[in-house]
């Protein structure tokens, strides 16, 4: 199991650690709920160095990316991230959802999920070999720390660190080789996975440690990976292994994810999984992803991964992720339901399959309504 | 309702509070005998494992419960956990405050975080762990 480079620092901050996709990550510092609220109401700092960092260079870079993803990567502007998109297998099941950072047509970066980093590297290599692409795929995961400053106060913190120029960064825009105080930042982008304003920063362990300490000195709370999960559930963001995966017997077609955000471009052709994805569209979906909100009397029931979704005692779907939302003050989650029953607002029952159940309703994403 | 004597032990990287005036089970409940009744809760070690408790299903008052039967269900952000009854008996009191403030179990596991009071059918001290035995028990788990 890998430790993140700043492991000792997190230990000093009294983090409790847990395993995530082969990494020993700081899960909780104080309390997941307190950390969650800090990110929603003010600001927090994550160390997400367990995520992958890849670089693709060479004259066929764009050809490779177009072959692997469901949206037109060529539309990405320089110094911007592509927005989320999906890498599919031949069954139109999702290998990974990721964004690509365009430095120029022949130089791209990405942050694949921790669990699928190696799978994506192999996937890219296979595509490149098959098509005789001229590309180089480099794994930078162990070269940089990845920090995420997230929350409505993120810009204020940047201002305090003397980096008020970052206010000029549009959502998904990034800069390379900047300095924040005496810390060299390889990449800084206006992005995140919490639904809040914020920045993601790549820096060498030495530079990242300095920056992390400066950020803490501004009173920013360290936030664990457990809160990252509860925050993404509120937003309805999907996670590999929960909402998607490659096995067609375990996971529905990628279209069932109802991913949104322009992740799938129907104008686009020639990518892996296209044929199966188009037949999902043509034949109609058996399953569709829905949001789940517990009813008032069951507000403290958490719908968990693997629980059943029932209507009139008939099993009509399953829960893929769930948590307690300290913002909505109730159990929330998401899951797949037979499309015939997918009506927002309709009552459903969530059952653990062992006799414990709670009443809920079908809800839309995001589960928290942003101003 | 404050108990007399508490001390701290280090289990792994956790600072665990031990109360020496109660008895323990190896499934991390504590039991305090009050005449023919027993007050029951979960230990500081247990709440520190679960963290962020956001919901509690309490037993029905006046219901009969058998030893090792499910007394309560705790919903934490991390997991759903059952609390087992350490004894046979009848539930005579439940901590209704937990319905709105389940975090009391995290904050005061031995005090306002108690779960239920059971009128005991019988009581045999030998079935439980002393505070020393409990510390030994949890030390081996980490």
């Amino acid at each position: 199991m890998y430790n993140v480079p700043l492991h000792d620092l997190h230990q000093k901050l009294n983090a409790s650690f847990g395993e995530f996709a082969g990494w020993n990550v700081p899960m909780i510092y104080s309390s997941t709920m307190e950390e969650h609220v800090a990110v929603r109401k003010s600001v927090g700092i994550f160390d997400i160095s367990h995520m992958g960092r890849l670089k693709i260079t060479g004259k066929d870079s764009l050809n490779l990316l177009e072959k692997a993803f469901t949206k037109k990567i060529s539309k990405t502007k320089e110094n911007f991230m592509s927005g989320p998109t999906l890498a599919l297998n031949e069954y139109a099941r999702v290998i990974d959802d990721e964004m690509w950072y365009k430095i120029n047509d022949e130089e791209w970066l990405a942050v694949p999920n921790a669990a699928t980093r190696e799978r994506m590297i192999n996937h890219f290599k296979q595509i490149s070999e098959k098509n005789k692409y001229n590309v180089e795929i480099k794994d930078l995961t162990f070269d940089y720390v990845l920090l995420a400053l997230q929350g409505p106060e993120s810009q204020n913190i940047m201002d305090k660190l003397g980096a008020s120029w970052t206010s000029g960064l549009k959502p998904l825009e990034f800069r390379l080789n900047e300095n924040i105080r005496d810390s060299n930042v390889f990449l800084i982008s206006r992005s995140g996975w919490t639904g809040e304003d914020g920045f993601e920063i790549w820096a060498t362990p030495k530079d990242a440690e300095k920056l992390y300490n400066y950020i803490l000195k501004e009173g920013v709370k360290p936030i664990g990976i457990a809160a990252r999960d509860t925050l993404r559930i509120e937003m309805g963001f999907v996670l590999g292994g929960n909402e998607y995966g490659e096995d067609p017997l375990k996971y529905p077609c990628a279209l069932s994810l109802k991913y949104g955000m322009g992740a799938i471009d129907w104008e686009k052709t020639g990518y892996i999984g296209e044929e199966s994805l188009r037949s999902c569209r043509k034949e109609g979906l058996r399953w569709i992803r829905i949001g789940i909100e517990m009813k008032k009397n069951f507000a403290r029931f958490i719908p968990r991964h693997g629980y059943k979704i029932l209507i009139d005692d008939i099993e009509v779907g399953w829960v893929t992720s769930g948590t307690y939302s300290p913002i909505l003050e109730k159990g929330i989650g998401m899951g797949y339901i037979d499309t015939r029953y997918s009506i927002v607002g309709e009552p459903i029952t969530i059952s653990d399959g062992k006799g414990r159940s709670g009443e809920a309703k079908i809800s839309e994403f995001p589960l928290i309504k942003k101003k | 309702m404050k108990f007399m004597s508490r001390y701290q032990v280090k289990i792994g990287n956790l600072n665990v509070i031990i109360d020496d005036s109660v008895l323990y089970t190896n499934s991390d409940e504590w039991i305090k005998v009050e005449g023919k009744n027993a007050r029951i809760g979960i230990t500081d070690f247990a709440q520190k494992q679960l963290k962020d408790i956001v919901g509690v299903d309490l037993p029905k008052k006046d219901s009969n419960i058998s030893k090792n039967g499910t007394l309560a269900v705790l919903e934490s952000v991390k997991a759903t956990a059952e609390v087992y009854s350490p004894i046979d008996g009848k539930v005579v009191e439940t901590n209704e405050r937990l319905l709105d403030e389940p975090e009391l179990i995290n904050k005061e596991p031995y005090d306002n975080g108690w779960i239920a009071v059971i009128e005991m059918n019988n009581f045999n001290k030998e079935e439980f762990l002393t505070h020393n035995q409990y510390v030994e028990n949890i030390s081996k788990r980490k």
Side-chain angles (χ1 to χ4, degrees), chain A residues 133-176:
Chain A
Y133 285 152
N134 179 0
V135 291
E136 194 190 355
I137 300 149
K138 264 174 100 174
D139 186 354
L140 306 179
T141 306
F142 299 91
D143 299 349
Y144 298 109
V145 164
L146 181 53
L147 302 177
L149 182 71
Q150 298 283 296
E153 300 293 324
S154 297
Q155 186 63 58
N156 289 348
I157 299 302
M158 281 298 173
D159 295 351
K160 284 180 184 165
L161 296 173
S164 50
W165 62 269
T166 52
S167 65
L169 285 178
K170 297 187 186 78
L172 303 188
E173 190 175 2
F174 68 89
R175 289 277 179 276
L176 293 173

Side-chain angles (χ1 to χ4, degrees), chain B residues 70-134:
Chain B
T70 302
L71 179 68
V73 178
L74 306 182
E75 195 80 275
S76 90
V77 172
K78 199 167 155 187
T80 307
E82 293 184 46
V83 180
Y84 303 109
S85 177
I87 39 172
D88 291 326
K90 190 171 89 174
V91 178
V92 289
E93 211 183 327
T94 59
N95 187 357
E96 305 288 317
R97 266 186 84 183
L98 295 179
L99 297 177
D100 287 326
E101 301 169 83
E103 65 278 7
L104 283 174
I105 297 178
N106 291 121
K107 288 178 181 157
E108 305 175 34
Y110 299 110
D111 301 307
N112 288 313
W114 64 276
I115 291 167
V117 177
I118 294 176
E119 188 183 293
M120 298 183 282
N121 292 350
N122 48 55
F123 172 71
N124 178 6
K125 202 177 171 180
E126 306 306 310
E127 290 177 14
F128 301 99
L129 305 175
T130 65
H131 63 100
N132 288 326
Q133 289 167 328
Y134 182 66

Side-chain angles (χ1 to χ4, degrees), chain A residues 5-215:
Chain A
L6 302 187
H7 180 87
D8 291 351
L9 189 58
H10 300 303
Q11 204 147 34
K12 274 183 208 139
L13 290 167
N14 234 336
S16 58
F17 293 85
E19 205 236 313
F20 185 81
W23 289 77
N24 188 31
V25 298
M27 278 290 177
I28 304 174
Y29 296 87
S30 55
S31 127
T32 299
M33 294 289 98
E34 279 172 36
E35 292 167 23
H36 179 119
V37 172
V39 173
R40 284 273 176 260
K41 309 262 174 183
S42 58
V43 62
I45 180 81
F46 296 85
D47 182 344
I48 50 172
S49 302
H50 61 286
M51 306 277 298
R53 257 62 49 73
L54 300 185
K55 184 171 191 175
I56 291 186
T57 52
K59 74 174 180 47
D60 287 320
S61 299
L62 194 54
N63 290 333
L64 170 59
L65 296 177
E66 294 294 25
K67 198 94 194 155
F69 292 97
T70 55
K71 89 185 275 177
K72 279 185 186 156
I73 305 291
S74 60
K75 284 186 177 170
T76 313
K77 289 190 283 185
E78 279 187 14
N79 283 97
F80 275 87
M81 296 157 79
S82 63
T85 184
L86 309 174
L88 305 182
N89 64 17
E90 295 291 353
Y91 305 105
R93 264 57 178 185
V94 179
I95 304 170
D96 195 26
D97 64 330
E98 53 193 52
M99 292 198 203
W100 282 84
Y101 301 61
K102 181 177 180 176
I103 299 172
N104 58 55
D105 269 335
E106 297 186 5
E107 231 178 325
W108 298 77
L109 298 166
V111 179
N113 280 294
T116 42
R117 174 176 60 93
E118 284 174 16
R119 170 72 176 100
M120 284 307 297
I121 292 171
N122 289 332
H123 189 54
F124 289 134
K125 282 185 178 160
Q126 278 168 11
I127 300 173
S128 301
E129 274 163 32
K130 198 176 158 196
N131 295 280
K132 303 201 164 49
Y133 285 152
N134 179 0
V135 291
E136 194 190 355
I137 300 149
K138 264 174 100 174
D139 186 354
L140 306 179
T141 306
F142 299 91
D143 299 349
Y144 298 109
V145 164
L146 181 53
L147 302 177
L149 182 71
Q150 298 283 296
E153 300 293 324
S154 297
Q155 186 63 58
N156 289 348
I157 299 302
M158 281 298 173
D159 295 351
K160 284 180 184 165
L161 296 173
S164 50
W165 62 269
T166 52
S167 65
L169 285 178
K170 297 187 186 78
L172 303 188
E173 190 175 2
F174 68 89
R175 289 277 179 276
L176 293 173
N177 298 314
E178 295 285 349
N179 284 304
I180 297 176
R181 290 198 181 153
D182 62 345
S183 165
N184 181 259
V185 164
F186 169 68
L187 184 152
I188 176 166
S189 58
R190 183 165 227 121
S191 57
W193 202 47
T194 59
E196 300 297 333
D197 187 22
F199 300 91
E200 289 176 302
I201 296 161
W202 308 25
T204 61
K206 206 173 128 242
D207 286 298
E209 184 167 1
K210 280 194 278 184
L211 184 59
Y212 192 91
N213 281 317
Y214 295 146
I215 291 170

Side-chain angles (χ1 to χ4, degrees), chain A residues 141 202 218 246 271:
Chain A
T141 306
W202 308 25
E218 295 301 334
E246 287 199 62
Y271 55 89

